[in-house]
């Protein structure tokens, strides 16, 4: 439990950045840690750890509906994203496949975007960005029109966006990608544990996951790697993960990942609860804060994410003021917090720089209560009023683009 200097309990509303470690995970940690052997050892010390690693793999595979042999354990989502892009490109080159065109959406996480950039340098790859509009959703037609059969090697579109929560039509995109003979990757890091994720349904070739977004320990993740898809290892080592990822496995974190995956059956009910809380919060926020808009409010979204634009405030200043009051939220991707640049995701969706600078992300989690959100709302109203009055801000009367968006939102609600 975390407290402010005045002794008030801090409220965590940044579950897209990371989730707290589940109490049941915490309770099991020492029993897992006590079996410290190397899972690759043949002797008795390795046997328990090897069995636990196998169990973790089975549980992850079951949770995402694939074969355990198709699960490559990694250190997290960034590594899985890097492996998906670099590993397929390197494998293509190694077998004389000259395709070098790669499509990624404008919404992707920096780990995916930067991995794509490195392919330009290392393999003379051509990276093309699939644009998005204010809905925050990639259109299947925009993928289709950019695919170049015989040239496109890989397409990557995330399942759920970390900033807006918008869900992407990955299954439909996969169909057109496969029809063009290309591979499909999805970054499902934000989706696992928030909505059901089924590889069988999505039909993708590669998918990334991270344990720490699902109430497990940091330092573990997975890449779903469809059988038969050529993939080079990023880390060469002792043959772990069937030569796809060398290095002694982080068994403690992977055990926690497997354990949380054993609870995947809870996701639907938890999601419904979070959706009710989130919808109530959004309706209150609209009533209490003039001019606020909810980004991509009418698009299919994760049940737990609200991305707000609050005209007349600077998101970073708002975040810091709320932090002092005991509320942890974010202005966009956690890894870009502290940077003066507005969120590239919001800009790619067509928000103005001012709108993107005035954004705030609220990420609800399994343990969030309605009283947490009520307390947060009161603080938000108070801080926004204070910051607006310091700036002498008044809501513009004239119609502008942001008002149009607001109206659409209100109409929909
Ligand atoms: C969509 C998405 N992909 C990838 C990552 C990176 O995952 P990790 O922090 O496990 O490296 C994140 C983390 O914020 C994310 O939100």
């Amino acid at each position: 439990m975390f407290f402010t200097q005045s002794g008030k309990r801090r409220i965590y509303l940044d579950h897209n950045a990371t989730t707290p470690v589940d109490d049941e995970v915490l309770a099991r940690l020492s029993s897992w840690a006590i079996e410290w052997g190397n899972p690759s050892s043949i002797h008795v010390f390795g046997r328990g750890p090897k069995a636990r690693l196998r169990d973790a793999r089975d549980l992850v595979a079951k949770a995402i509906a694939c074969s355990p042999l198709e699960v490559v354990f990694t250190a997290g989502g960034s590594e899985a994203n890097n492996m998906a892009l670099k590993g397929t490109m390197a494998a293509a080159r190694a077998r004389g496949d000259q395709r070098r065109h790669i499509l990624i959406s404008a919404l992707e996480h920096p780990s995916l975007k930067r991995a794509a950039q490195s392919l330009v340098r290392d393999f003379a790859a051509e990276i093309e960005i699939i644009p998005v509009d204010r809905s925050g959703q990639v259109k299947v037609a925009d993928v289709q029109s950019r695919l170049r059969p015989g040239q496109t090697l890989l397409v990557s579109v995330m399942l759920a966006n970390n900033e807006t929560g918008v869900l992407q039509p990955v299954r439909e995109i996969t169909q057109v990608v496969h029809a063009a003979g290309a591979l499909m990757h999805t970054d499902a890091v934000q989706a696992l544990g928030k909505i059901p994720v089924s590889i069988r349904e999505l039909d993708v070739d590669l998918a990334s996951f991270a344990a720490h977004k699902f109430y497990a320990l940091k330092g573990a993740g997975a890449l779903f790697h469809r059988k038969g898809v050529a993939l080079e290892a990023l880390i060469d080592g002792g043959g772990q993960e069937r030569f796809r990822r060398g290095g002694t496995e982080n068994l403690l974190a992977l055990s926690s990942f497997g354990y949380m995956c054993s609870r995947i059956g809870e996701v639907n009910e938890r999601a419904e609860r979070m959706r009710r809380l989130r919808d109530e919060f959004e309706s209150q926020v609209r009533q209490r804060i003039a001019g606020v808009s909810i980004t991509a409010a009418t698009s299919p979204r994760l049940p737990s994410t609200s991305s707000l634009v609050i005209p007349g405030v600077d998101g970073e200043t708002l975040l810091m003021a709320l932090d002092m009051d005991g509320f942890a939220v974010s202005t966009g991707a956690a890894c870009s917090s502290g940077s003066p640049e507005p969120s590239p995701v919001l800009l790619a969706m067509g928000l103005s720089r001012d709108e993107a600078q005035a954004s705030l992300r609220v990420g609800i989690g399994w343990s969030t209560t309605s009283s947490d959100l009520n307390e947060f709302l009161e603080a938000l109203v108070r801080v926004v009023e204070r910051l607006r009055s310091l700036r002498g801000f008044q809501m513009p009367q004239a119609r502008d683009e942001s008002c149009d968006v607001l109206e659409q939102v209100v109409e929909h609600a």
Side-chain angles (χ1 to χ4, degrees), residues 16-17 76-78 81 109 111 158 160 162 187 189-190 210 212-213:
N16 291 20
S78 298
N81 280 344
H109 187 265
S111 59
M158 69 201 327
N162 42 307
D187 174 347
V189 163
Q190 285 293 339
H212 75 98
K213 309 279 185 184

Side-chain angles (χ1 to χ4, degrees), residues 291-324:
V292 72
S293 64
I294 289 141
T295 304
T298 57
S299 299
R301 282 184 293 154
L302 288 174
S304 52
T305 307
S306 270
S307 175
L308 312 175
V309 174
I310 308 175
V313 298
D314 170 65
E316 290 285 329
T317 314
L318 180 58
L319 181 151
M320 287 186 282
L322 288 166
D323 188 31
M324 277 163 60

